[in-house]
Amino acid sequence: MVGMTMMRTWVEPVVAGSQLASAFYDTALLLVVKNYYNQTNSTAPSHLMQDAQQKAVSNFYIIYNLVLGLSPLVSAYGLSKLGDKVHRKIPICLPLLGYLGSKSLLLLLILLDWPIEVMYGAAAFNGLTGGFTTFWAGIMALGSLGSSESRRSLRLIIIELVYGLAGFLGSMASGYLFVGFSDRYREGTVLVSCSIACYAFCLLYSIFVLIVPKSAPSCTAKAKGVEEVGGQVPACTGAAESAQPSESSSKAPVTPSKLIIILLFVAAILYDLAVVGAMNVLPLFLLREPLSWNAVQIGYGNAAGYAIFITSFLGVFVFSKYLRDITMIIIGVVSFTVGVIIMAFVRWTFLFYIARAVMLFALIPLPTIRSMLSKHVEGSSYGKVFVLLQLSLVITGVVTSTVFNKIYQSTLNWYSGFCFILSFLAGLPRRFKELSFQVI
């Protein structure tokens, strides 16, 4: 009975189901938008039609990403605060409801031939109900509750790994589901229906099955409790020491280095700029010559991106035993920049997968930067610092997405891989030299 109750505190089923649904939806939306603009320009010559289609799809994603990125800023903080004060499941259930509604609009668009602009409203509804920002914060909160301080990092890394594996499997299957039933249903109907079904499962599971775990007592709390009865807590030596600070520490408390914090913020923003810039134009790049990928190939390509979650997890698991945080960050940055410059010269499918393979550690920098930030600020400031960092990344992502999509349109006929070169320049590891000198 106790084991069953413990299993009901696991958030992994919600993470896996929602990410599987997201992988289905991402592939479906891209191909539905492509088909929509392909039909719109069907009377034009083939080479002009392809360029017009690329620009139309790019313009769609500029507006869509703006709405999707900015709308959660209205509600994310309020919903997270409501989750802290009222119920922990609110920041999970409400975004899932938003996901369910917004993805249902894509299905109606396919079945009823609605205009593609309906998806702007879907993005707004998704964002105003919290979106991924609120949902992931709620998942992290539940993942942290009930886990001891010593095992909390491992717990959260496992959740990230489940997220990546589900995305990988969903992307692998998405292309086949998109075209596999086209003889009976309209293209995309089955794939979007599967996405909606996954979100419905996650919502029902979160409401009726998921239990909010009880918060595990910290080492400090244990130490205080044992002190009251005259016991000892050898496993919490660090906590006991912090509860009884030395004379020197009481006289001169350590203050966080503002310079290091600023440098960490700059490093995170620069790296996010490079990654978002490249990854936002990558789907458009794959649809155009010389690759001209179909639905199945798009699914495989997305799966290759999710595989990086696995390799980056393994990288952190191994490197953290032997290397400093700043060294791991530089390894991740080098992995991404070398991979993205290869992507700029991709002309054949095999070269795309080589570029993706080189990016195997590309997800290491941002989680490691967050870890370093936690070591340079007081525990009472974690929330404030991480919210400021996340807001910085959201704003950077929205602006970068818009700028890079416009640059891609302008360089489409000249050199379609130009945005990848810009991303390479933005992410060069020389930006982290000053940070490495400051961090000890």
Side-chain angles (χ1 to χ4, degrees):
M1 189 69 179
V2 176
M4 182 63 69
T5 303
M6 180 67 68
M7 289 177 63
R8 291 180 63 186
T9 64
W10 294 352
V11 294
E12 281 83 351
V14 180
V15 173
S18 63
Q19 186 53 24
L20 192 67
S22 179
F24 289 161
Y25 174 78
D26 289 344
T27 299
L29 180 62
L30 176 63
L31 295 172
V32 166
V33 173
K34 175 196 171 187
N35 290 343
Y36 178 85
Y37 288 113
N38 190 41
Q39 294 171 4
T40 304
N41 299 286
S42 58
T43 58
S46 59
H47 67 285
L48 294 177
M49 184 177 69
Q50 188 179 67
D51 289 348
Q53 180 195 74
Q54 286 273 297
K55 290 181 179 179
V57 173
S58 178
N59 283 328
F60 167 83
Y61 272 103
I62 287 174
I63 301 174
Y64 182 83
N65 288 332
L66 277 171
V67 176
L68 193 65
L70 294 178
S71 53
L73 299 180
V74 177
S75 57
Y77 178 78
L79 290 175
S80 297
K81 193 172 182 180
L82 198 63
D84 290 337
K85 291 186 175 181
V86 180
H87 202 289
R88 289 286 183 183
K89 290 202 283 187
I90 291 176
I92 295 177
C93 293
L94 200 57
L96 283 173
L97 184 63
Y99 279 133
L100 194 59
S102 62
K103 277 47 177 178
S104 298
L105 284 176
L106 180 58
L107 181 61
L108 292 174
L109 183 150
I110 295 171
L111 296 176
L112 303 178
D113 290 322
W114 284 355
I116 201 68
E117 288 76 15
V118 168
M119 297 314 300
Y120 301 147
F125 180 70
N126 186 6
L128 292 174
T129 53
F132 181 79
T133 304
T134 304
F135 172 74
W136 198 243
I139 291 292
M140 290 291 105
L142 284 190
S144 298
L145 287 170
S147 60
S148 64
E149 290 180 355
S150 61
R151 295 184 60 84
R152 189 163 298 160
S153 295
L154 180 61
R155 177 82 172 96
L156 298 184
I157 288 174
I158 290 172
I159 293 174
E160 292 273 4
L161 183 60
V162 170
Y163 175 92
L165 287 173
F168 174 82
L169 295 175
S171 296
M172 289 289 288
S174 61
Y176 292 103
L177 290 173
F178 187 84
V179 300
F181 300 89
S182 57
D183 55 335
R184 290 187 238 170
Y185 309 100
R186 293 193 179 188
E187 279 191 339
T189 302
V190 173
L191 182 57
V192 178
S193 298
C194 289
S195 177
I196 292 170
C198 289
Y199 279 124
F201 161 77
C202 292
L203 182 60
L204 293 173
Y205 182 92
S206 300
I207 295 173
F208 298 109
V209 179
L210 185 64
I211 296 176
V212 177
K214 294 181 180 180
S215 179
S218 65
C219 287
T220 303
K222 290 179 181 177
K224 289 181 179 179
V226 174
E227 282 175 5
E228 291 177 359
V229 296
Q232 294 181 350
V233 189
C236 295
T237 305
E241 289 175 357
S242 62
Q244 299 177 349
S246 64
E247 183 180 353
S248 59
S249 63
S250 62
K251 290 181 179 179
V254 178
T255 58
S257 169
K258 293 182 179 179
L259 177 59
I260 292 178
I261 293 173
I262 292 171
L263 289 173
L264 286 168
F265 265 71
V266 171
I269 291 170
L270 284 174
Y271 187 69
D272 192 60
L273 185 154
V275 173
V276 171
M279 295 303 107
N280 266 270
V281 301
L282 183 59
L284 305 176
F285 179 77
L286 299 177
L287 292 175
R288 190 180 186 275
E289 291 181 350
L291 295 179
S292 300
W293 278 9
N294 57 32
V296 174
Q297 291 170 315
I298 290 289
Y300 284 151
N302 289 340
Y306 283 112
I308 296 174
F309 279 87
I310 304 170
T311 53
S312 294
F313 164 76
L314 294 174
V316 171
F317 186 77
V318 175
F319 295 154
S320 60
K321 297 179 181 180
Y322 308 104
L323 303 175
R324 294 188 305 157
D325 287 343
I326 188 63
T327 307
M328 290 196 298
I329 291 175
I330 293 175
I331 289 173
V333 172
V334 170
S335 174
F336 172 77
T337 52
V338 174
V340 83
I341 197 63
I342 295 174
M343 193 72 73
F345 301 98
V346 165
R347 293 295 177 268
W348 305 276
T349 295
F350 79 90
L351 198 55
F352 167 85
Y353 286 104
I354 290 176
R356 272 304 199 184
V358 173
M359 294 182 188
L360 77 169
F361 298 132
L363 292 181
I364 290 178
L366 286 179
T368 309
I369 286 173
R370 289 189 178 95
S371 175
M372 291 180 68
L373 273 172
S374 70
K375 298 173 185 177
H376 289 89
V377 297
E378 297 177 358
S380 59
S381 300
Y382 283 176
K384 179 177 67 175
V385 171
F386 289 149
V387 164
L388 288 174
L389 177 61
Q390 195 60 38
L391 287 174
S392 301
L393 297 181
V394 168
I395 295 171
T396 300
V398 170
V399 174
T400 302
S401 174
T402 304
V403 171
F404 269 68
N405 270 281
K406 284 297 184 183
I407 293 174
Y408 179 74
Q409 292 179 21
S410 301
T411 58
L412 188 61
N413 296 319
W414 170 58
Y415 190 75
S416 58
F418 182 71
C419 284
F420 299 127
I421 297 175
L422 288 181
S423 181
F424 165 77
L425 295 174
L428 281 176
R430 68 168 183 268
R431 314 275 183 173
F432 297 86
K433 283 184 179 179
E434 187 176 357
L435 179 61
S436 64
F437 288 137
Q438 293 292 333
V439 178
I440 299 176

